[in-house]
Amino acid sequence: MEQEFKALLKQIHEEILKPLGYRKDGANFRLYGRDGLCRIINFQRNKWNSRDHLEFVINTGSYFEKNVRIERLKFKEYECALRGRVYPENGDHWWALEASTDREALLESVRSAVLRALEEFESHPTRESVIDAMPAPG
């Protein structure tokens, strides 16, 4: 299942994310903005996956540093100022990949989720709008 998962990630990257400037690093896809606002789409595997059954979720994040120039190019989703998660449209919390999975339906569901994540990023298009949307400390 791991090879099928990697093929899915590659297809999503080639079709949707790479044309937008996202760089692939394993299961992470990062976009570096000129104003120092960066985005990440992270495919997180379930820690209980087996050889025959692989589950994953899609996490998102908006990242920036004090200065516009990004020093930590391999920032993680959990280090982001704003974080989110995109769920499958069928209401489950995890996508599942196993021998009986309809690969085309899975690909379409993941495509849809990635497009929803990109739309969500557009609700905070600038570094300043991300700062304004950050929860108050405390």
Side-chain angles (χ1 to χ4, degrees), residues 27 66 75 100 112:
K66 185 175 181 178
F75 62 90
S100 64
S112 176

Side-chain angles (χ1 to χ4, degrees), residues 36-84:
L37 177 60
C38 303
R39 310 293 191 170
I40 187 169
I41 297 176
N42 161 261
F43 287 73
Q44 177 187 342
R45 294 169 187 84
N46 188 326
K47 68 179 179 177
W48 303 110
N49 284 339
S50 68
R51 171 183 233 190
D52 302 320
H53 183 84
L54 188 147
E55 292 183 337
F56 62 94
V57 294
I58 301 175
N59 301 309
T60 63
S62 297
Y63 177 83
F64 59 89
E65 295 175 3
K66 185 175 181 178
N67 298 310
V68 172
R69 185 167 182 267
I70 300 298
E71 299 290 330
R72 298 201 59 232
L73 295 177
K74 293 199 176 202
F75 62 90
K76 305 292 186 194
E77 174 270 332
Y78 56 81
E79 298 171 320
C80 291
L82 286 182
R83 298 170 58 201

Side-chain angles (χ1 to χ4, degrees), residues 6-16 107 111:
K6 288 179 180 179
L8 174 76
L9 295 183
K10 182 177 180 182
Q11 190 164 354
I12 292 295
H13 182 240
E14 293 294 323
E15 287 181 14
I16 301 172
L107 177 60
R111 263 191 204 119

